[in-house]
Amino acid sequence: MKFTVSQSALQTALDIVSKGIGSNTTLPILSGIYLKAFNGMLELQSSDLTISIKHQIAANVEEEGETVVSGKVIQNIVKNLPDAAITFEGGERTLSVICQRSSFRLNTLSAHDWAQFPEFNLEKTCELPSQLLSTMVDKVYRVTSKEVSRPILQGISLTVEDNTIRLVATDSFRLAVCDSNTDTPAGESFSIIISGEVFHDVLSMRSMTEKVLIGTTDNQVIFQFGNTTHISRKIEGHFPDYKQLLPTSCTASVDINVEDFSAALKRVSVIALANPSVRFDVDADGKEVKLSASSPDQGESSEHIEAQIEGDSLSIALNYHYVFDCVNAAPSKDLLRLELQGPSQPAIFKSNGKVNYLYLLMPVRL
């Protein structure tokens, strides 16, 4: 085979498919990238047996063909080349790469050993605005569980119904819910559980278009946008019924400035190295919240911040790492509402806007 392609387009394509390269050293073919030159196009594929990615770019194809090259090697070569035309030739056992005065000869793997890209017949589909979806995923995906023994909690629940997109994630210690309005076909609904890591990676891809099509089969989740197709395994099972965890009332509600709260929490938590607990003392009469932390080895810290408070005074302790995940997801210029029921009941953070956000966090012992 022989083809020529621009360095910038190829680097973008490699960045996209590299997210599907396998790390299983017992199967060298999975650490490679499949290249197929045909009909004025270069197709790149990667797979780790769980994820499969395909992306196409324009190329000047003089001789059609296919081969498999080391993903790591080809990425390192292309990213260090100038933004100029790159010519590839060969493919059966070796592949020559020439760009201006640079030349390389790479060993290749047989394309016959490459698994065919999965075929699929979409059962249900939903097309959504990618920028809005990306913003929403950023707010919830850090809450997904890291425990492989509970795959359902590694996923994000996506539902689209009545012109509303809703994403939900939980690791059993905390819960994040966000929703926003969008135009959807009347009477249609769409529901699926998608790996949080996959969801975030897909929406971060450089080839992302204005809208992304999400589809499902019996056991697959398919993303299609532009010249990119991303396939991953569907997470099977029933997502926890989170609505029963949400209280209908609270003892105290606290409205705090996100920027001031974040800065204060960052200063107070410097002491909380061994113990990530930060105490919140809500003073309804004084209209302030005292943040404090203590460590037997490091000492103590505290800071008072002004707040709009309704209800009773009370105290609660929270893991500040988890609180930071919430603060970082909230708009920095807005007010964040904290709703409390008692020292042993979950704390609920809320922010409203184009994307409504709710974050439930279990307390730690005072």
Side-chain angles (χ1 to χ4, degrees):
M1 79 178 171
K2 185 177 181 180
F3 64 90
T4 302
V5 67
S6 78
Q7 184 270 346
S8 57
L10 182 57
Q11 185 172 347
T12 297
L14 290 170
D15 287 345
I16 292 164
V17 298
S18 66
K19 293 182 181 295
I21 293 176
S23 57
N24 188 340
T25 54
T26 61
L27 293 173
I29 195 82
L30 296 183
S31 63
I33 291 177
Y34 169 85
L35 305 176
K36 181 181 179 181
F38 68 103
N39 196 27
M41 301 293 293
L42 174 65
E43 182 172 291
L44 300 89
Q45 294 181 21
S46 62
S47 177
D48 64 0
L49 300 181
T50 300
I51 294 171
S52 297
I53 304 173
K54 177 171 67 176
H55 182 73
Q56 293 181 342
I57 56 174
N60 180 14
V61 179
E62 297 181 44
E63 184 181 339
E64 296 186 351
E66 57 184 351
T67 191
V68 180
V69 296
S70 164
K72 186 175 182 180
V73 171
I74 193 67
Q75 277 186 286
N76 287 334
I77 289 174
V78 172
K79 74 179 181 182
N80 287 296
L81 290 174
D83 188 3
I86 308 174
T87 299
F88 292 77
E89 186 172 5
E92 270 198 32
R93 294 187 178 178
T94 62
L95 183 68
S96 67
V97 183
I98 300 172
C99 180
Q100 295 184 343
R101 297 185 179 183
S102 302
S103 63
F104 307 84
R105 187 171 61 85
L106 308 180
N107 294 329
T108 62
L109 297 170
S110 173
H112 297 294
D113 295 331
W114 185 261
Q116 184 178 359
F117 195 76
E119 296 182 356
F120 56 88
N121 184 20
L122 295 178
E123 297 172 353
K124 295 197 74 174
T125 62
C126 185
E127 192 174 45
L128 298 172
S130 57
Q131 186 57 55
L132 174 61
L133 198 57
S134 178
T135 299
M136 295 176 70
V137 169
D138 280 344
K139 292 180 180 294
V140 303
Y141 92 99
R142 289 185 180 85
V143 178
T144 56
S145 176
K146 304 300 183 289
E147 294 184 25
V148 295
S149 60
R150 305 184 71 184
I152 199 76
L153 298 187
Q154 292 183 302
I156 294 173
S157 170
L158 164 67
T159 57
V160 183
E161 189 173 17
D162 297 331
N163 293 329
T164 300
I165 307 175
R166 176 168 288 117
L167 300 182
V168 185
T170 181
D171 61 3
S172 75
F173 298 104
R174 50 194 176 147
L175 166 78
V177 183
C178 66
D179 58 59
S180 185
N181 294 328
T182 189
D183 291 332
T184 59
E188 289 191 16
S189 62
F190 184 83
S191 180
I192 192 175
I193 303 170
I194 303 172
S195 160
E197 186 176 352
V198 166
F199 216 166
H200 182 260
D201 282 350
V202 168
L203 291 166
S204 303
M205 286 183 172
R206 292 170 63 181
S207 61
M208 182 52 65
T209 53
E210 185 177 341
K211 291 197 171 183
V212 55
L213 180 77
I214 304 175
T216 62
T217 68
D218 280 343
N219 56 6
Q220 297 168 319
V221 181
I222 292 90
F223 296 89
Q224 290 183 315
F225 47 96
N227 293 323
T228 305
T229 300
H230 184 294
I231 300 178
S232 64
R233 290 179 183 171
K234 184 194 291 185
I235 297 179
E236 302 291 349
H238 296 285
F239 201 79
D241 181 9
Y242 69 93
K243 292 182 180 179
Q244 63 181 357
L245 301 174
L246 305 179
T248 55
S249 61
C250 63
T251 303
S253 65
V254 184
D255 290 331
I256 42 182
N257 178 278
V258 174
E259 214 166 348
D260 294 343
F261 178 48
S262 178
L265 184 62
K266 190 174 294 185
R267 288 188 288 268
V268 168
S269 63
V270 168
I271 291 297
L273 296 177
N275 176 17
S277 170
V278 169
R279 180 178 174 123
F280 291 66
D281 291 303
V282 177
D283 183 355
D285 297 327
K287 301 297 181 184
E288 66 175 19
V289 179
K290 177 185 175 184
L291 307 181
S292 59
S294 63
S295 167
D297 299 326
Q298 306 300 328
E300 299 177 346
S301 61
S302 66
E303 183 158 344
H304 297 257
I305 56 174
E306 294 181 355
Q308 301 171 27
I309 301 172
E310 295 180 5
D312 302 331
S313 299
L314 57 83
S315 300
I316 193 171
L318 302 171
N319 182 314
Y320 77 87
H321 294 296
Y322 291 166
V323 177
F324 268 127
D325 282 343
C326 169
V327 172
N328 291 335
S332 60
K333 302 298 182 182
D334 292 355
L335 289 177
L336 184 65
R337 168 160 288 199
L338 170 60
E339 295 182 354
L340 301 172
Q341 304 163 75
S344 59
Q345 299 297 314
I348 296 178
F349 294 88
K350 292 179 179 179
S351 70
N352 295 318
K354 183 178 180 182
V355 175
N356 300 316
Y357 181 63
L358 181 148
Y359 187 92
L360 180 149
L361 179 57
M362 298 300 293
V364 294
R365 187 175 298 176
L366 284 168

